[in-house]
Amino acid sequence: MLGQFVFGLRSRMKRRAPGWRPARKREHGALQRDLAGWGAAAVKLARRNWIVFAIGVPVVAIPSLLALVLRSPAMLPDYVPSATLPDAQIAALLQGEQLVPPVAPPPLAFTTQEVVLVRPMLVSASRNWGLLHPDFNARLLLAFKIMKEQHGYEMALLEGYRSPARQDLLAQMGGTVTNARAFQSWHQYGLAADCAFWRDGKLVISEKDPWAMRGYRLYGEVAEQLGLTWGGRWKMMDLGHTELRLPGVMRR
């Protein structure tokens, strides 16, 4: 049965063979005639439907062109590049600098109503510069120097190193204070600090003060130029906060 089917199939193929050739063996002239015919048909179609082409081509092409242009983050709306200096330049700035921490404000300065409302439990925070990572310490002191000499703002350290127990205690006070638990903050590694301004013998923390707001903006710019991360760019802004995110330190 199978042999009869194969024999019949061969017979039909032989009858068709004289008039059939594979496409790859078609004459070159015939292929050129086909291409010319397709081109003429395309031109004729475009002339008849020029309005559709005039509207459709930009609609299709513009999104692709925009995607090509916006592939660089610098072209995105509201994108503000960070002007972080290369590590070599930061090292050059720090080289030879024998900076010492400024004189700490008196303890009573951290108990005023303004300070307590904005930063609760600040009076018991650590302001020991010696507990900060040496690299972060040097960059933060240089930021303080630049703020004072170039912008006229005297900075004050509110809190540097923070113990895991204190971090958990602050986290229990709610998201308005901090969302980070123990070892989820760079404070536990001596790589973060909260700072404010010292003016006329008082700490100025309030974000309602235009002078302070200008200072926070300048402080953020200086900190980022020194390779620090500024909390003013976060969704829940922390304008006086800076940190140095060293790789391989934070445990998540």
Side-chain angles (χ1 to χ4, degrees):
M1 190 71 174
L2 180 60
Q4 293 178 354
F5 174 77
V6 173
F7 178 77
L9 181 60
R10 287 179 176 176
S11 301
R12 288 193 294 271
M13 291 297 292
K14 288 180 180 180
R15 289 196 296 271
R16 291 186 179 183
W20 177 85
R21 285 180 298 176
R24 63 187 180 187
K25 294 183 179 179
R26 295 178 62 186
E27 296 180 0
H28 183 67
L31 181 58
Q32 286 185 330
R33 287 194 297 273
D34 288 346
L35 291 176
W38 294 338
V43 172
K44 189 175 182 180
L45 179 63
R47 288 177 177 175
R48 288 182 178 178
N49 301 276
W50 67 271
I51 296 179
V52 175
F53 277 87
I55 297 175
V57 170
V59 169
V60 174
I62 289 176
S64 300
L65 292 175
L66 285 176
L68 181 64
V69 172
L70 295 179
R71 72 186 188 276
S72 171
M75 300 298 294
L76 295 175
D78 302 325
Y79 176 80
V80 180
S82 176
T84 302
L85 296 176
D87 290 340
Q89 293 187 31
I90 295 174
L93 288 174
L94 296 174
Q95 185 176 9
E97 291 283 0
Q98 299 296 328
L99 300 176
V100 296
V103 177
L108 290 178
F110 300 92
T111 62
T112 64
Q113 183 178 4
E114 175 191 350
V115 173
V116 173
L117 286 175
V118 179
R119 297 297 304 269
M121 298 177 57
L122 194 57
V123 67
S124 59
S126 171
R127 286 173 281 277
N128 186 345
W129 286 81
L131 297 179
L132 298 179
H133 188 283
D135 193 356
F136 177 63
N137 189 326
R139 298 185 194 216
L140 189 61
L141 285 174
L142 183 55
F144 274 34
K145 178 182 179 181
I146 294 173
M147 286 295 295
K148 184 175 182 178
E149 295 182 354
Q150 297 186 15
H151 303 298
Y153 282 85
E154 188 170 352
M155 304 293 297
L157 176 64
L158 302 181
E159 182 170 15
Y161 169 79
R162 183 184 297 159
S163 69
R166 177 176 169 82
Q167 185 69 45
D168 278 338
L169 186 61
L170 292 175
Q172 292 173 8
M173 300 179 70
T176 56
V177 178
T178 180
N179 289 319
R181 308 288 301 186
F183 297 109
Q184 294 178 341
S185 169
W186 292 96
H187 282 282
Q188 275 81 80
Y189 306 93
L191 289 166
D194 297 322
C195 304
F197 310 104
W198 183 253
R199 181 182 63 181
D200 300 331
K202 294 194 307 182
L203 283 174
V204 181
I205 300 179
S206 176
E207 298 174 6
K208 297 179 181 179
D209 188 319
W211 177 84
M213 287 302 295
R214 176 178 177 272
Y216 281 129
R217 178 181 59 79
L218 292 171
Y219 178 57
E221 292 176 359
V222 171
E224 289 182 336
Q225 288 174 356
L226 295 175
L228 302 177
T229 298
W230 178 45
R233 293 194 182 275
W234 300 342
K235 184 177 181 181
M236 191 176 81
M237 292 188 296
D238 193 353
L239 298 176
H241 178 95
T242 54
E243 58 192 34
L244 179 60
R245 298 181 175 182
L246 295 181
V249 174
M250 177 71 75
R251 296 193 310 233
R252 291 293 185 182

